Amino acid sequence: MIRMAVADVVEATGATLVAGDASTTFEGMEIDSRLIGKGMAFVAFKGERVDGNAFAASALEAGAALVVLTDEPGDAVLAAARKAGAAVLRAAQDDGEEFLLRAAAAWRRANPQWVVVGVTGSVGKTTTKEMLAAAIGATKHAYATRGNFNSLLGVPLTLMRAPQDAEVLVVEMGMNHAGELERIAACVQPAVAVITNVGTSHIGNLGSREAIARAKAEVVGGLQGANGLRPTLVLSAGDDYCEFIANEFAQPAGVDVMRVGLAGESCVWAEDVTLDEQGMPSFVLACQDGKRLDARLALPGWAMVLDALSALGVVCALGLDVRVALDAVEAMRPTSMRLEVCKGEGTPRVINDSYNASPSSMAAALDVLCSMSCEGRRVAVIGQIGELGDESQRLHELVGAYVAAKDVDLLVLVGDEGARAMRDGACTMGYSQDRVEVFPTALDAARTIAPILEENDVVLVKASRAVGLELFAQEVLGSC
């Protein structure tokens, strides 16, 4: 956990000391005043609905040793700081985001013993991060991003919450716009980074897949060797932007490239991949050094094999025991709302993947649905996908067309234009309109569809988070 003197934070961030003593020290930094305890630092943000500066006084009353404001301090805050003997800073240009990044970068520099692994990609970065945490944690003291703290705010908070005695940090790094990963990577300074793939997530913000690839490749600029490790980038050999990133970004920067996924082109690859009746994959893990290991995952779908290969590629880059790491990955179970297979008494099986969606992850989830044994109907309850911009119509139609090519008995679509585009794409490719139902909201879909589902059915529930399809799963299952 971050532990610094106010003077050092001022030097690192360019903030202005408004009140208090620069020699004051603090331990722990948060942006939610409800998490503040004695001796911590509180950073106030101006939000769209809530102004964090209004909670500075309450943070001081809770024991904060430092508050960082993004607005002119009021008399109440200054009085509370004097009473508590605390320090008050005003962030440079009132930019709380940049303050956090600079403070976290300073804390990162103060802990050169950490080996940091950064994980980004359009799809699969959270699963890969969790696999890495398990695989590395089997032999090293590892600390990983909690939940979805992968943004310009979440990543610095992750660094500042990490224990100093951790040996390896596994940091998930997300992005919505060009330039964001460059800032995050500069803060994190990973020794090894993974780009799981280049898909269509955020194409509405970036405009094209090549632009997404360039944005993902920004991670290269932050890569630095550590503890005898050369800076290394792990890429999926099967991704069509693998060589573009390797040749245009990694190699010119002197970064080693490790490819995973395809035999003959990779350091780690899978052979003889099969899915059982529950969609769980088995395969032979093959390594460039000749090692061959039988593997079976308890996470459904072909995509999990690719995520596991990325994680195990990092394990090889770190020089850790692959067998021990694979054992830890095999022991993993699905996390909430991410290809989580649930069943209640008398209810159908539900594949709850309602946390988020992109066109490629939608296809992967449909593959899981159709790979599982089913004595009743296969039902796909899918909602529209966000952040597709001008490509929204075309990509939603392609998702619908993909459904038409699969063994799906009933297609339930939730949303507005995106849902209708998926319906049109499916029907254009020959899917019967009689088997398609479109609803404006998850609750509308649940009220109509849940009563007609039977115990032998298998139901996929997937959409972008904003659609709220977890409500559908809850209506069908109750509490899983």
Side-chain angles (χ1 to χ4, degrees):
M1 181 181 293
I2 187 171
R3 184 185 303 107
M4 296 180 73
V6 170
D8 295 330
V9 175
V10 169
E11 182 179 358
T13 66
T16 301
L17 180 63
V18 176
D21 190 339
S23 66
T24 299
T25 61
F26 65 91
E27 183 173 359
M29 183 178 288
E30 295 291 345
I31 63 175
D32 185 340
S33 62
R34 294 168 296 183
L35 301 178
I36 296 299
K38 185 174 178 57
M40 295 180 67
F42 169 63
V43 183
F45 278 79
K46 291 181 180 179
E48 293 181 1
R49 292 177 293 179
V50 178
D51 185 353
N53 292 281
F55 297 91
S58 61
L60 289 163
E61 292 170 2
L66 169 67
V67 293
V68 182
L69 304 179
T70 50
D71 202 352
E72 187 73 29
D75 292 340
V77 172
L78 296 176
R82 284 193 297 269
K83 181 178 179 181
V88 179
L89 297 182
R90 188 169 181 181
Q93 299 180 335
D94 291 334
D95 188 341
E97 183 177 85
E98 185 63 19
F99 175 89
L100 275 184
L101 286 166
R102 292 183 181 184
W107 184 237
R108 169 71 179 99
R109 291 191 296 272
N111 289 277
Q113 77 279 7
W114 287 339
V115 174
V116 179
V117 178
V119 184
T120 190
S122 296
V123 178
K125 57 184 175 289
T126 298
T127 301
T128 301
K129 177 257 297 184
E130 295 294 338
M131 287 180 169
L132 276 165
I136 296 170
T139 53
K140 295 282 187 180
H141 180 187
Y143 179 82
T145 300
R146 302 298 193 246
N148 62 343
F149 273 65
N150 62 9
S151 66
L152 286 165
L153 299 183
V155 169
L157 288 172
T158 294
L159 283 183
M160 292 188 288
R161 292 170 178 172
Q164 281 188 274
D165 62 350
E167 296 173 276
V168 182
L169 305 189
V170 182
V171 181
E172 183 178 336
M173 303 184 297
M175 49 77 68
N176 293 311
H177 299 88
E180 291 182 353
L181 267 181
E182 180 179 11
R183 298 173 69 194
I184 288 173
C187 173
V188 170
Q189 299 172 22
V192 181
V194 178
I195 301 177
T196 59
N197 49 56
V198 176
T200 52
S201 300
H202 315 303
I203 198 169
N205 297 330
L206 291 157
S208 69
R209 286 190 66 222
E210 180 176 326
I212 294 171
R214 290 182 180 277
K216 298 296 183 188
E218 290 172 7
V219 71
V220 169
L223 281 166
Q224 298 185 18
N227 297 354
L229 294 170
R230 283 185 50 78
T232 302
L233 181 65
V234 177
L235 297 171
S236 173
D239 190 273
D240 51 357
Y241 279 93
C242 172
E243 297 309 314
F244 173 73
I245 293 173
N247 296 333
E248 297 294 324
F249 297 92
Q251 291 172 1
V255 169
D256 292 347
V257 175
M258 175 179 282
R259 296 167 178 81
V260 300
L262 297 179
E265 303 178 34
S266 305
C267 298
V268 177
W269 65 94
E271 296 178 355
D272 303 327
V273 182
T274 60
L275 299 182
D276 66 15
E277 291 185 347
Q278 302 305 314
M280 306 302 179
S282 297
F283 59 97
V284 175
L285 176 71
C287 303
Q288 201 170 45
D289 62 5
K291 191 181 279 91
R292 295 174 63 82
L293 301 170
D294 291 332
R296 186 181 189 281
L297 304 182
L299 305 170
W302 289 83
M304 296 301 159
V305 177
L306 298 177
D307 293 342
L309 292 175
S310 292
L312 295 168
V314 173
V315 166
C316 291
L318 296 179
L320 303 179
D321 189 314
V322 178
R323 176 71 265 178
V324 173
L326 179 58
D327 288 344
V329 171
E330 288 180 317
M332 291 178 61
R333 296 297 181 268
T335 55
S336 178
M337 297 193 297
R338 295 181 186 271
L339 284 175
E340 181 185 21
V341 181
C342 306
K343 190 180 187 313
E345 184 176 352
T347 73
R349 275 182 296 165
V350 173
I351 308 168
N352 187 358
D353 199 18
S354 57
Y355 187 82
N356 215 337
S358 68
S360 54
S361 70
M362 192 74 80
L366 286 162
D367 289 345
V368 172
L369 170 65
C370 294
S371 70
M372 294 179 68
S373 62
C374 179
E375 297 179 1
R377 297 167 297 176
R378 290 189 172 90
V379 181
V381 182
I382 57 180
Q384 61 189 39
I385 304 164
E387 297 186 349
L388 297 181
D390 293 340
E391 292 287 299
S392 180
Q393 176 80 15
R394 182 179 70 87
L395 291 174
H396 278 104
E397 287 176 351
L398 287 174
V399 170
Y402 195 81
V403 173
K406 307 300 289 184
D407 185 20
V408 175
D409 297 296
L410 176 62
L411 175 59
V412 180
L413 300 169
V414 181
D416 41 47
E417 290 90 348
R420 291 190 289 272
M422 286 189 283
R423 176 199 60 197
D424 294 345
C427 294
T428 297
M429 296 305 295
Y431 194 83
S432 173
Q433 192 163 350
D434 293 340
R435 293 190 286 159
V436 183
E437 300 288 345
V438 181
F439 299 93
T441 71
L443 189 56
D444 291 326
R447 287 170 174 166
T448 301
I449 300 301
I452 68 170
L453 296 175
E454 300 175 357
E455 186 172 2
N456 289 333
D457 295 339
V458 180
V459 184
L460 169 67
V461 180
K462 185 166 182 65
S464 285
R465 193 74 180 88
V467 179
L469 270 189
E470 68 273 13
L471 295 174
F472 184 96
Q474 291 166 5
E475 187 73 16
V476 174
L477 292 164
S479 179
C480 224

